[in-house]
Amino acid sequence: MNKLRKAVFFDRDGVINKNRPDYVKTVEELEIFPYVAKSIKQLKKQGYLVVVITNQSAINRGLTDDDKVSEIHQTIQKHLLKHSSGIDAFYYCPHRPDENCVCRKPKPGLLLKASQELEIDLKSSWMIGDNESDIQAAESVGCKALKIRENFQLKHAVQSILNS
Ligand SMILES: [Mg+2]
Ligand SMILES: [Zn+2]
C-alpha cells in the first residue's frame, strides 16, 4: 500500500512571479518575487510536494509557445535551486477559454492529473492562488485553498499552512 503524499499547489503568475496584464511570455518578462524560495523551502521541509498549476492561454493565443514557457519554468527552477529550494513539477494549461478544455482553472483537470501522477492526497493538500479560479479549482476537488491579496502575501499563506 502506497502512502499518498501531501502537496501545496502554487499558481504561477501573481504568486511566484509578478503578473503582467499582457501575460508573462518570455524569460525577460519574468520577475520572481523575493520570498518565494524561502517559502517553498519551508513547505518542503515539512514534507509537502510543491507543484505549479498554471493557466497559460498565451500559448494558444499565439503570444508565446511551449519552448518559451519551459524556459520560464527552468529559470524559476534554477533560481530556487540556487537557494536550496525547488518545484517538484510544473503543470500548465495552454488553452484559451473558448476551447472549453478540462484543464483550465477553475476546472480541476491539472490538479487531478498531478494527484494521480504524483500520488497526492488532495484532501490533505493546499492550493495558493491570487485568483478566484484557483480557489474554485481546488475546492471542487476537496483541496484546501488560500487566496493571496494585498495584506495576505505568499509568506503569510505559507505560514498558515505550516501552522495548520
Ligand atoms: Mg495568478
Ligand atoms: Zn486546458
Side-chain angles (χ1 to χ4, degrees), residues 18 20 40 90 102 105 108 125 139 153 155:
K18 215 165 154 187
R20 286 172 66 101
I40 292 175
F90 289 88
V102 297
K105 294 174 287 186
S125 297
E139 290 181 343
Q153 297 297 325
K155 55 186 169 193

Side-chain angles (χ1 to χ4, degrees), residues 11-15 17 19 54 105 128-131 133-134:
D11 171 45
R12 195 191 82 184
D13 303 322
V15 175
N17 55 272
N19 220 341
T54 176
K105 294 174 287 186
I128 302 175
D130 66 330
N131 216 296
S133 60
D134 300 315

